[in-house]
Amino acid sequence: MNDVQACALSGDKTAAESLTFGSATVVIGDTGTVIIVEAGDALDRSSVWNAKEVRLIGPAPTPVKERLAPWTWAADDTKLPLHLMARVPEGLVYLGTGTVAQAQTTVSPGHVERILTHCTLRLDTPLSKSDLDRVRPPLPRPDLPSLQWLGHVSGDRAAALEQFITGWYRPASESPEQPPERSHAVDLPDGLRRFYRLAQHRPRSLGVQNRILPASKCRTDYNGEMLVFGEENQGGFFWSLLWTLEGPQTDPTVWFCEYDEPPIAEQEPLSGFLIQFSLFEAAMGADYTALSALLTAQQVELLTERLHPVPLRPFWPSVPTRFYVALGLVLHITDEGDDSFSTWAGATHRRALDPLADAAVEWTHFDG
């Protein structure tokens, strides 16, 4: 397919408007919208993201926002088809029609108009492996974070935590800063202090789904008995340590508490909990993910047979969760009850998902 044929899908070519931003071209017509992205694989530009998704990276011109942002649609706009294409050296590859799955907008400082910054388009028919490789050629396998940390989990857990965090996250800043706990009056356990020092230059390690509170935000609960140091992203539960005047224990029990419910002890003390928390948040916040639900025990066994189990007892009392890892990959398996399991995997690079590609699992989302 060539550009003239592609643009004709939008309707009357004399009335169509063609807009280019970054690596994307959007043609807006009276009978449809044509979206063209460049072939390739990148986090910072529009591209075919996986077999089911095309991603547009803005800022996009206002007419594109008005056509793609669902809250701006007129009644007739919702019926107009979206035609998705990728540009390869030979021309254009027609990917099929799609729908807007997600659209994000922001307001620039000093402005009032919202700008479309990110849009996820869901293909009506997923791409085959060969078509996906054509429009998103596989990248060479890079050097991935090592698993040296795994050998310390059953012994020196402080070393395991440090090696995992420094291997998984790039430092955000190399400028010296004062450790935040120095200005905090509460006497914290050594393990938590070390965690805060690691998070100084790697703040994402504090969590992207749930979070470890900054040291200055740690607080006692309403009874003054527990020191709250972590919480769920919507405030539905929190993690705490027993608060005593004698000072912190060396490796205290971590207590999980949903509001108005009695606290439940995590199966691992603080040293193991911080590793589990870090693994969970690394997977949740990864650029490349794979998700599946309603797995059987047999599927879980087959899915994890090529991975390394992390030798810790289950994380999270309400929904017991175990961890498995490979180079650049963290996968957690959650027991949903009734012999049903769900999984979430996160990777530092798309190729790190390779061990999961041939698993007999119906993925609801797979970035490999």
Side-chain angles (χ1 to χ4, degrees), residues 56 58-62 64-66 68-72 102-108 112-120:
L56 293 183
T62 298
V64 175
K65 179 197 71 175
E66 293 175 346
L68 297 181
W71 52 88
T72 66
Q102 185 181 39
Q104 298 176 5
T105 61
T106 60
V107 179
S108 300
V112 294
E113 181 183 5
R114 301 193 71 86
I115 303 297
L116 180 66
T117 57
H118 185 282
C119 187
T120 299

Side-chain angles (χ1 to χ4, degrees), residues 7-196:
C7 292
L9 294 173
S10 68
D12 184 355
K13 66 179 181 179
T14 62
E17 183 177 13
S18 179
L19 302 131
T20 298
F21 56 99
S23 59
T25 297
V26 177
V27 183
I28 297 173
D30 56 352
T31 63
T33 305
V34 174
I35 297 173
I36 303 170
V37 298
E38 299 291 334
D41 190 2
L43 288 168
D44 58 354
R45 64 177 178 83
S46 302
S47 63
V48 177
W49 184 250
N50 59 37
K52 297 180 180 180
E53 292 182 6
V54 174
R55 291 187 178 180
L56 293 183
I57 306 297
T62 298
V64 175
K65 179 197 71 175
E66 293 175 346
R67 180 57 65 95
L68 297 181
W71 52 88
T72 66
W73 287 344
D76 292 341
D77 289 338
T78 61
K79 302 174 184 177
L80 298 179
L82 296 177
H83 299 279
L84 305 176
M85 316 204 181
R87 190 180 300 281
V88 297
E90 312 89 71
L92 296 176
V93 176
Y94 185 63
L95 307 175
T97 56
T99 56
V100 176
Q102 185 181 39
Q104 298 176 5
T105 61
T106 60
V107 179
S108 300
H111 295 77
V112 294
E113 181 183 5
R114 301 193 71 86
I115 303 297
L116 180 66
T117 57
H118 185 282
C119 187
T120 299
L121 305 162
R122 179 63 59 89
L123 289 164
D124 294 333
T125 302
L127 299 175
S128 66
K129 180 65 165 62
S130 60
D131 286 341
L132 180 60
D133 287 346
R134 185 181 179 193
V135 297
R136 197 201 67 188
L139 295 174
R141 184 180 176 91
D143 291 332
L144 299 171
S146 81
L147 293 178
Q148 183 179 358
W149 62 271
L150 189 60
H152 296 295
V153 172
S154 298
D156 189 349
R157 291 181 172 179
L161 179 66
E162 180 174 2
Q163 289 176 11
F164 174 75
I165 289 179
T166 56
W168 187 273
Y169 298 101
R170 293 181 179 179
S173 170
E174 293 298 340
S175 59
E177 299 174 11
Q178 290 295 316
E181 66 268 19
R182 289 185 181 176
S183 61
H184 187 53
V186 175
D187 195 7
L188 300 173
D190 287 342
L192 200 52
R193 289 182 181 275
R194 286 193 295 267
F195 182 81
Y196 285 131

